[in-house]
């Protein structure tokens, strides 16, 4: 279902698309490919909106930390916005301290996507397309990107990312939804239980750039192998948690290279809403909304305070173009970039 959502200052119209499957619904706008709402029933059958977002286009156009958006060309940080490819040095826009973050000043979260509605064997979906010109935000190559969202009968929201380029470039696409399985206006996410299928994570320096070390999570606050409350160890005096003001790190997922596998699970005891995450990516940035500070108003007009949402951004490792030991993020003109991530919703009591 398609409806008019508003117009951008340049006159471009923005539409909202609603995918429903009888159990849950997902709403997406053509600006930034932003997921504005995910309504899923709690254990009593009451619809609960589990993603942070806004009611109006103006708020989405204004300052906010990438709520619900498609992130690219390069999700996460690139140190000093610099990298080199084929002997050529590139300088990206700097928009986060000394670094380039989430694609630069006008990343894929701030552009209009063309949208085609789909029916995938009875499952509703949309395909979003964007053409990013050579040297846009400093990245080489004309890049054609397709992102497909499908809501299945099994209550999975599936994301399929595809891209092709005409020149060697780098790419790392993800989605930046902030979840709160207690409801988007229900306060902090510290009592959610989370598991992440990762035996190690990437320690960072004070600029949140990985040091290159791959550190075992054992006996650290980063161990989420078993379901654990987010809040249990988040305040431990640990220099890593101080740098990110909480969790804001990339976990090195187990079984990379073996296709799509379950990488994380989250549960909220109060609503019983459960979310499993599946992906073929090597990493996930688990970010606990540490930089939210009450200036943004929720859909129910409450304040989004510190840690009122968490993100599980499936992706390649931060700063990979400058870290030869990390899996490669280079896209060759002869190859197609393809990756997928699924979020599956249910209710479950732990
Ligand atoms: C980053 C955070 C950042 C947030 C919003 C996350 O992906 O890891 O450090 O504050 O995005 O920009």
């Amino acid at each position: 279902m398609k409806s008019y959502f508003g117009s951008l200052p340049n006159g471009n119209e923005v539409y909202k698309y609603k995918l429903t499957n009888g159990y849950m619904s997902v709403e997406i706008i053509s600006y930034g490919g932003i997921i504005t709402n995910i309504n899923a029933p709690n254990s009593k059958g009451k619809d609960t909106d589990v993603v942070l977002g806004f009611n109006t286009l103006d708020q989405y156009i204004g300052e906010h930390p990438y709520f619900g958006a498609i992130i690219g060309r390069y999700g996460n940080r690139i140190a000093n916005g610099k990298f080199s490819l084929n002997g050529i040095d590139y300088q990206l826009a700097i928009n986060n301290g000394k670094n380039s973050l989430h694609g630069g000043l006008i990343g894929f979260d701030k552009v209009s996507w063309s949208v085609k509605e789909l029916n995938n064997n009875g499952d509703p979906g949309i395909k979003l397309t964007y053409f990013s010109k050579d040297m846009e935000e400093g990245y080489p190559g004309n890049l054609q990107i397709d992102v497909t969202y499908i809501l299945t009968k099994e209550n999975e929201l599936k994301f399929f990312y595809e891209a092709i380029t005409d020149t060697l470039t780098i790419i790392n696409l993800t989605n930046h939804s902030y979840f709160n399985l207690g409801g988007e206006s229900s306060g902090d996410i510290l009592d959610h239980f989370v598991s992440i299928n990762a035996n190690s994570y990437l320690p960072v320096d004070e600029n949140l750039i990985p040091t290159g070390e791959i550190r075992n999570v054992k006996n650290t606050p980063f161990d989420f192998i078993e379901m654990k409350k987010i809040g249990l160890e988040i305040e431990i005096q640990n220099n890593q948690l101080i740098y990110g003001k909480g969790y804001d790190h990339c976990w090195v997922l187990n079984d990379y290279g073996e296709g799509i596998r379950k990488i994380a699970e989250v549960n909220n005891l109060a609503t019983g809403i459960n979310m499993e995450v599946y992906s073929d990516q090597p990493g996930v940035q688990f970010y606990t909304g540490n930089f939210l500070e009450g200036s943004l108003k929720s859909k129910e007009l409450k304040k989004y305070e510190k840690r009122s949402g968490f993100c599980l951004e499936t992706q390649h490792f931060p700063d990979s173009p400058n870290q030869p030991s990390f899996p490669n993020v280079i896209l060759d003109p002869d190859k197609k970039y393809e990756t997928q991530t699924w979020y599956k919703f249910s209710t479950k009591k732990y």
Side-chain angles (χ1 to χ4, degrees):
M1 210 169 61
K2 173 179 175 182
S3 57
Y4 174 75
F5 189 60
S7 291
L8 297 174
N10 67 6
N12 274 3
E13 294 184 339
V14 175
Y15 289 89
K16 186 182 242 190
Y17 297 82
K18 186 169 184 178
L19 314 179
T20 50
N21 69 356
Y23 176 84
M24 59 179 289
S25 67
V26 179
E27 289 166 64
I28 305 125
I29 56 172
S30 48
Y31 177 73
I34 293 173
I35 296 181
T36 58
N37 306 68
I38 298 182
N39 275 295
N42 68 13
S43 52
K44 295 194 176 107
K46 186 174 179 288
D47 258 358
T48 309
D49 186 351
V50 296
V51 284
L52 275 53
F54 305 121
N55 298 319
T56 65
L57 180 60
D58 279 355
Q59 289 166 287
Y60 282 114
I61 299 170
E63 285 258 315
H64 67 93
Y66 305 89
F67 280 175
I70 299 172
I71 303 296
R73 288 189 195 191
Y74 198 91
N76 219 315
R77 293 177 173 81
I78 295 184
N80 305 310
K82 287 187 196 302
F83 67 99
S84 54
L85 210 50
N86 245 356
I88 305 171
D89 293 336
Y90 293 98
Q91 177 66 60
L92 304 172
I94 303 297
N95 61 337
N96 180 259
K98 295 174 168 174
N99 305 318
S100 186
L101 174 70
H102 295 335
L105 297 172
I106 304 180
F108 295 171
D109 57 298
K110 294 182 187 66
V111 300
S112 289
W113 292 72
S114 311
V115 183
K116 210 173 115 199
E117 292 178 86
L118 301 175
N119 180 322
N120 189 57
N121 299 319
D123 292 335
I126 56 172
K127 183 177 197 164
L128 301 107
T129 301
Y130 179 67
F131 184 80
S132 171
K133 292 204 188 86
D134 183 35
M135 295 314 287
E136 190 172 304
E137 297 296 313
Y139 293 94
N142 288 298
L143 188 74
Q144 162 86 30
I145 311 109
D146 291 323
V147 181
T148 304
Y149 297 156
I150 294 187
L151 179 62
T152 73
K153 295 171 195 64
E154 287 74 38
N155 306 319
E156 297 142 333
L157 172 60
K158 294 191 173 179
F159 299 75
F160 299 91
Y161 301 88
E162 295 163 273
I164 48 171
T165 179
D166 61 359
T167 310
L168 209 62
T169 192
I170 58 167
I171 186 165
N172 189 25
L173 305 182
T174 191
N175 175 273
H176 211 298
S177 288
Y178 287 68
F179 296 95
N180 186 329
L181 304 183
E184 56 95 28
S185 291
S186 68
D188 72 56
I189 43 77
L190 295 175
D191 58 359
H192 284 60
F193 279 83
V194 174
S195 68
I196 304 176
N197 184 22
N199 294 338
S200 23
Y201 79 103
L202 301 176
V204 292
D205 66 16
E206 67 276 15
N207 297 312
L208 299 186
I209 296 293
T211 59
E213 179 191 349
I214 293 184
R215 189 179 292 172
N216 201 300
V217 294
K218 229 188 168 108
N219 301 320
T220 77
F222 296 84
D223 186 350
F224 282 95
I225 286 286
E226 304 286 341
M227 278 292 210
K228 182 172 85 182
K229 259 195 190 176
I230 294 178
L232 190 70
E233 295 169 325
I234 201 168
E235 300 296 357
I236 284 183
Q237 292 302 305
N238 170 308
N239 76 335
Q240 285 296 306
L241 290 172
I242 288 168
Y243 287 157
K245 291 197 173 174
Y247 296 112
D248 191 359
H249 297 75
C250 188
W251 269 251
V252 177
L253 296 169
N254 297 339
D255 307 319
Y256 174 52
E258 293 178 20
I260 189 143
R261 76 283 196 214
K262 184 167 148 183
I263 60 120
E265 184 161 353
V266 190
N267 187 271
N268 181 272
L269 286 185
T271 59
I273 296 178
N274 200 73
M275 184 175 85
E276 292 168 60
V277 187
Y278 296 80
S279 181
D280 55 13
Q281 288 278 349
V284 67
Q285 183 83 6
F286 176 46
Y287 169 55
T288 46
N290 313 309
F291 299 115
L292 294 169
E293 31 62 37
S295 61
L296 299 169
K297 283 261 169 65
S298 78
K299 287 172 257 183
E300 288 180 17
L301 309 181
K302 300 216 170 102
K303 287 180 178 169
Y304 284 133
E305 301 283 2
K306 186 174 176 187
R307 300 185 180 146
S308 49
F310 66 88
C311 304
L312 281 165
E313 306 156 53
T314 56
Q315 57 188 245
H316 268 258
F317 303 166
D319 198 35
S320 295
N322 298 309
Q323 308 238 9
S325 66
F326 289 174
N328 174 347
V329 290
I330 298 170
L331 181 62
D332 200 284
D334 297 336
K335 300 254 167 61
K336 187 174 180 185
Y337 171 85
E338 282 181 290
T339 175
Q340 52 181 305
T341 291
W342 312 345
Y343 295 97
K344 181 177 167 70
F345 295 88
S346 61
T347 55
K348 201 163 172 178
K349 275 270 169 258
Y350 276 90

